């Protein structure tokens, strides 16, 4: 239980722009979230069904959950369990009970009921895309992205272009300080559009632990897939434009 | 102190105070009786309550001949006498000019319920007919009756209008525009409202609606452009549109001479729009005139705020400074002038007076003393009565208009607001870029200049919508790649200021008095 909770927090709240999560669990366990500015939508599925997550509920105040999960009182032999209640004849998950080994340090983290999470978190259904470019980014490329992002902090986004079989990321333009670098070589597709994506969100996702795969379409979307070992998270970033 | 703001308008873009119905009611009703007790009217108001009527060059405490009034707030039934509407129903058309807002906002908010996508819906047809008649009868210019693109995201709007998508908003606007085109009598000139919440939608809307301004398509075409949605707050989009209009032949002298920006209150925009107006006049259409409106002077008062000064420091943000106004029952018998008390008693650090409030005593604002009961028989916390609000609204209107003109004067004298000059690498002035855009007769060059400064435009902050760095956002492609359910809320920053205005005015009239 603690592992999957830590995994969810790490791949949503810790990114800094996904404060609220919706869990749906029946024959499979899925996780959804969306940034308030719609810059990122994430769909995830755990590799194994999480039995304790039975039903639909929301996880608000993930900062609080993150603190409980890091609390040294719950480091060893803690009891961490999903609490449930019978409502309208159905047993629904209502929260997580944290109790240390000796039982004298407890916390209860409350879930958001299905009605409320469905209201608070819009359900964004991905229509699908034809991905023009797909690759596994190298650690070196991600490091180079960090270097450029640090050098160009005045901009919120970078632009993506293809040139001579390379996928290039551009920061700034002719009217500002500017820079570019090859993020991925050997791409076959040729982009006609110069789409922009948010630096901070892209960097945060690429910094996550796990196997990372990237897909881009010239129609204006990027998908970064991160397999943490416990779940596969698909982050979809609509390209940004005026 | 300038009592004739009409005379000092110069060639600046016109600011139009979006006149509050609460305010104009005083002017109108007092013509037919003592809506305000004559003893309550400040001695300095030489024409009584009519002194508040800035459209009247003789009786107003000051004269400014241009304003906006909304059909959404007006009584549209012209078959019946309505004293409260008299400021606009019985105005001198030779000495005043009024732009009628259409009530598209009311449609969007669901205040005018009907099936607006059905050309035969009787409720919609009645309102359509009323608005057109009202415009043709009373207004010099009028906004087309658009269905705002955001209506589909407003739950109240969807329920009341049956408009649930952008496509239906377009369809509803077609119906309204067709009706206006086919039935207008020519007395009122109409503006073709451009909507759209991002560049893609704005372009789509323009392409779908532009023919209503085209003399080749309609002999009684609309006569200019109304800038709504993202068009009114994103200078990049404004300049792109102006270039398109020019080269599409839809910004021609005597044909499409007017462009109005809805709900624009940033002081810098007063000067920016003057730059645009001058450039278009110089290179393309000498009649071209820009106007912009906002309700800030009225809303500020309703929120208890009073304008105290205008700040136009070079290379800084330019603002109208407002503070909470004097409101204390201890002043109810104090015959000192308002402008003196607020300084002497340390209420304000400074105060720029106006022709409205200059000779008003503090007791004319703070009318209730301890123990006094208001009109509903209760002792309220405030010392103000309704007419106190009206007086301060008049002051705020003068201050706002004067601020707009003063900003333009300072701009012409060489002072520049920070957002209209870029000095990071080269020194680039907004006015020089605008000059370059319109100086060329080559559309490709004009478009290229606009795009060259794409990032700079983001530093020119608009009043609402997506402004600044937020103009680059995911909304266009989100809509392309996702279907969204639970669209039960709409967040539009200050889009609902008209709504706020109505609520606040109702509060003033019914609770405080």
């Amino acid at each position: 239980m603690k592992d999957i909770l830590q995994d969810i927090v790490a791949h949503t709240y810790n990114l800094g722009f996904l404060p609220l999560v919706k869990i749906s669990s029946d024959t499979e366990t899925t996780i959804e979230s969306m940034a308030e500015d719609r810059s990122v939508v994430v769909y995830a599925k755990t590799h194994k069904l999480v039995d304790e997550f039975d039903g639909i509920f929301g996880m608000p105040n993930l900062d609080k959950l993150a603190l409980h999960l890091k609390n040294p009182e719950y480091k060893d032999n803690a009891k961490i369990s999903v609490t449930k209640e019978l409502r309208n004849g159905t047993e629904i998950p209502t929260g997580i009970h944290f109790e240390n080994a000796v039982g004298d340090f407890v916390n209860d983290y409350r879930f958001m009921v299905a009605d409320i999470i469905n209201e608070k978190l819009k359900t964004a259904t991905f229509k699908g895309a034809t991905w023009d470019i797909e690759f596994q980014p190298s650690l070196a490329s991600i490091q180079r992205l960090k270097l450029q992002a640090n050098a160009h902090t005045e901009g919120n986004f970078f632009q993506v272009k293809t040139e001579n079989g390379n996928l290039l990321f551009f920061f700034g333009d002719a009217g500002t300080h500017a820079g570019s670098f090859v993020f991925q070589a050997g791409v076959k597709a040729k982009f006609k559009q110069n789409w922009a994506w948010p630096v901070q969100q892209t960097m945060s996702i690429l910094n996550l632990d796990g196997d990372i795969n990237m897909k881009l379409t010239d129609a204006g979307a990027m998908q970064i897939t991160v397999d943490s070992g416990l779940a596969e998270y698909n982050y979809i970033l609509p390209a940004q434009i005026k | 102190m300038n009592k004739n703001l009409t005379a000092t308008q110069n060639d600046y873009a016109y600011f139009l105070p979006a006149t509050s119905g609460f305010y104009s009611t005083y002017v109108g009703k007092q013509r037919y009786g003592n809506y305000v007790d004559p003893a309550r009217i400040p001695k300095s108001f030489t024409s009584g309550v009519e002194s508040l009527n800035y459209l009247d060059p003789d009786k107003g405490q000051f004269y400014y001949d241009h304003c906006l009034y909304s059909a959404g707030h007006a009584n549209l039934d012209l078959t019946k006498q309505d004293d409260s509407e008299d400021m606009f129903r019985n105005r001198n058309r030779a000495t005043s000019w009024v732009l009628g807002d259409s009530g598209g906002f009311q449609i969007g908010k669901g205040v005018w319920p009907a099936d607006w996508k059905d050309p035969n819906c009787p409720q919609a047809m009645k309102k359509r007919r009323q608005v057109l008649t009202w415009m043709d009868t009373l207004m010099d210019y009028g906004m087309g009756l658009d269905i705002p693109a955001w209506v589909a995201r407003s739950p109240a709007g969807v329920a009341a209008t049956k408009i649930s998508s952008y496509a239906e908003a377009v369809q509803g606007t077609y119906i309204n525009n067709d009706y206006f085109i086919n039935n207008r009598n020519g007395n009122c000139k109409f503006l073709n409202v451009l909507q759209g919440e991002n560049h893609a939608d704005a372009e789509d809307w323009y392409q779908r609606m532009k023919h209503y301004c085209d003399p080749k398509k309609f002999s009684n075409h609309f006569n200019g452009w109304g800038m709504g949605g993202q068009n009114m707050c994103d200078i990049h989009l404004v300049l792109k549109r102006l270039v398109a209009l020019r080269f599409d032949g839809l910004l021609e002298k005597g044909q499409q001479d007017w462009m109005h920006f809805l709900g624009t209150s940033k002081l810098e925009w007063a000067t920016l729009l003057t730059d645009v107006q001058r450039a278009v006049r110089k290179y393309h259409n000498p009649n071209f005139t820009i106007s912009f409106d906002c309700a800030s002077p009225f809303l500020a008062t309703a929120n208890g705020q009073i304008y105290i000064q205008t700040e136009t420091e070079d290379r800084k943000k330019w603002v109208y400074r407002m503070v909470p106004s004097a409101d204390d029952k201890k002043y109810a018998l104090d015959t000192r002038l308002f402008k003196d008390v607020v300084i002497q008693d340390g209420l304000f650090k400074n105060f720029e007076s106006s022709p409205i409030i200059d000779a008003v005593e503090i007791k004319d604002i703070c009318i209730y003393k301890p123990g006094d009961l208001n009109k509903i028989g209760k002792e309220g916390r405030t010392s103000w009565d309704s007419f106190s609000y009206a007086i301060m609204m008049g002051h705020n209107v003068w201050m706002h208009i004067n601020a707009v003109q003063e900003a333009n004067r300072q701009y012409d004298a060489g002072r520049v607001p920070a957002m209209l000059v870029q000095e990071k690498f080269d020194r680039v002035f907004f006015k020089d870029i605008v000059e370059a855009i319109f100086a060329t007769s080559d559309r490709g060059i004009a478009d290229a200049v606009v795009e060259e400064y794409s990032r700079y435009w983001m530093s020119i902050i608009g009043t609402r919508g997506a402004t600044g760095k937020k103009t680059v956002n995911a909304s266009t492609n989100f809509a392309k790649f996702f279907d969204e359910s639970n669209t039960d809320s709409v967040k539009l920053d200050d889009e609902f200021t008209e709504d706020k205005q109505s609520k606040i005015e109702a509060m003033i009239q019914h609770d405080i008095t």
Side-chain angles (χ1 to χ4, degrees), chain B residues 7 14 89 106-107 114 121 137 140 146 181 209 228 268 325 333 385 402 419 424 441 490 503:
Chain B
Y14 268 103
R89 289 191 181 184
Q106 276 65 27
I107 295 175
C121 171
T137 307
D140 295 277
D146 61 303
I181 285 273
M209 298 296 169
E268 290 90 345
S325 189
L333 300 174
D385 68 358
N402 189 62
M419 71 168 76
K424 280 185 182 171
S441 54
V490 54
K503 286 178 181 172

Side-chain angles (χ1 to χ4, degrees), chain B residues 66-276:
Chain B
H66 279 62
C67 77
L68 176 142
Y69 188 53
S70 176
H73 297 152
N75 180 351
L76 301 177
D77 185 355
L78 299 181
T79 65
K80 292 175 184 164
Q81 171 66 20
D82 186 340
D83 299 346
S84 66
E85 295 287 336
D86 215 62
M87 178 172 166
F88 293 101
R89 289 191 181 184
N90 280 319
R91 68 183 169 92
N92 185 343
R93 300 285 290 262
T95 57
S96 65
W97 184 103
V98 183
L99 170 65
D101 199 358
S102 63
F105 180 88
Q106 276 65 27
I107 295 175
K109 285 292 288 175
V111 177
W112 290 350
D115 187 347
W116 287 95
K117 66 181 186 307
D118 177 1
N120 299 313
C121 171
Q123 293 98 324
M125 182 53 78
K126 180 183 178 187
K127 194 60 76 177
R128 218 174 269 133
R129 188 182 299 122
Q130 282 186 322
V131 172
L132 179 58
T133 303
W134 184 84
M135 294 280 195
D136 272 341
T137 307
L138 300 176
M139 298 292 125
D140 295 277
Y141 265 81
M143 308 294 287
L145 187 51
D146 61 303
I147 312 278
W150 49 261
V151 66
R153 295 194 292 110
S154 160
V158 172
T161 63
K162 315 303 179 199
I163 301 286
S164 59
S165 66
Y166 170 83
E168 289 179 353
V170 169
Q171 180 62 24
T173 304
Y174 279 147
I175 295 168
N176 291 346
N177 282 351
D178 286 342
Y179 179 81
F180 275 37
I181 285 273
N182 292 327
N183 294 281
R184 59 185 294 215
N185 64 18
N187 289 343
C188 174
K189 292 182 175 178
F190 281 96
L191 302 182
N192 190 354
V193 181
L194 298 177
Q195 289 285 353
E197 294 181 89
N198 52 52
H199 286 220
D201 283 356
E203 175 64 15
D204 181 77
W205 189 283
Y206 169 66
Q207 292 300 337
R208 291 172 186 275
M209 298 296 169
K210 65 181 182 181
H211 62 287
Y212 290 109
C213 272
D214 190 344
K216 299 187 195 83
K217 305 282 172 58
F218 298 102
S219 59
N220 51 348
H221 59 89
F222 289 164
N223 314 90
W225 303 94
M227 305 297 263
Q230 189 68 6
N231 297 282
M232 68 183 166
C233 57
D234 180 345
I235 189 62
H236 187 175
L237 187 53
V238 171
L239 293 170
K240 272 167 65 170
R241 184 62 53 234
L242 279 162
V243 169
L245 290 172
R246 176 185 181 182
F247 290 100
D248 285 351
L250 296 172
L251 204 62
E252 300 304 302
K253 182 181 176 184
Q255 304 290 332
Q256 305 94 7
D257 288 332
W258 205 279
M259 176 174 278
H260 180 75
F261 290 77
L262 288 156
T264 299
S265 58
K266 294 276 183 195
L267 190 52
E268 290 90 345
W269 278 66
T271 57
L272 167 169
L273 292 173
T274 295
D275 279 338
V276 173

Side-chain angles (χ1 to χ4, degrees), chain A residues 118 122-123 125 127 219 239 242, chain B residues 236 454 480-481 483 485-486:
Chain A
N118 286 334
K122 310 280 184 286
T123 298
T125 306
K127 298 175 189 174
K242 282 191 178 179
Chain B
H236 187 175
S454 178
K480 189 194 294 183
F481 286 102
D483 285 324
S485 64
N486 297 338

